[in-house]
Amino acid sequence: MTLIHDEPFGPLYLRPVQAPCPNCPCCSERLCEKGANSVMQCHGHVADSATVAHVSACPCSAETTRGTHAWRAAQVRVVKHATQQPLPKPAEYVLRALAGGDSFQDPTGELAGLRARRYAHGSEGAWRITQLGRRYLLALEEPRYTSAVHVNSVEVKTRTAKVVVLGWHMEREVTVLADFLAQVTGVKLAELPGRYLEAKVNLGVADPDDLVLTRIQVPAPITEDYVAVRPLWLRDGGAR
């Protein structure tokens, strides 16, 4: 704190000036660190409306910036949308036309809904598909498989977890949102390390950041009658 003594009504305490972020012109370094590690982004960590407006487009925490919490949450949201409750066919047609640069008609006003979902942006005559729109189309096509997931560790400060998706790689770690794991499984953050989970995963990607886990759950325990229901060739040691 800076202490000013010449104030007639007593000393005035001022907050020290925070170091500016080296990666953007709008925020302090501390704010960007906090925003990047939160789905609330930078604008969710400031109070007054003027500051919110100033930092609302900060790239350091945006959902379009790879690796931010907002980006990871958006990937999960879009993949769940595509695989669990996809767009109506007319909207998909418009989105595919945007992706291909084709001309199209939009008699039912699908572009408004696509813009609301941030799958498209622009205005009449200048519409473009966004990164999220392309991710949605990819999620419609890419195979997804059930895989065991082992939670190696949880970093409370950054609210992230390091997991190993065993169907993808037996050792390489994948970063996921720890709060998301806790929310969907009902397991407390402190109890996640060492746990095995189960999830649907796009196992065909090369970059661990491109793995998107959905339908995460705690696997059902193996019961005593498990051996009895296995195929005979497995009960005989695997010989077939």
Side-chain angles (χ1 to χ4, degrees), residues 63 70-87 95 117-119 130-140 142 144 212 214:
E63 69 178 12
W71 179 82
R72 295 187 192 282
Q75 301 302 298
V76 174
R77 182 180 72 249
V78 171
V79 171
K80 288 176 66 177
H81 182 209
T83 57
Q84 298 177 24
Q85 196 173 9
L87 290 167
L95 192 60
R117 291 185 179 276
R118 299 189 292 283
Y119 293 171
T130 64
Q131 294 179 23
L132 293 182
R134 294 188 184 280
R135 186 66 188 89
Y136 174 88
L137 292 178
L138 176 61
L140 290 177
E142 64 183 351
R144 298 184 63 78
V212 179
T214 61

Side-chain angles (χ1 to χ4, degrees), residues 109-119:
E110 304 298 341
L111 281 168
L114 294 175
R115 180 171 58 185
R117 291 185 179 276
R118 299 189 292 283
Y119 293 171

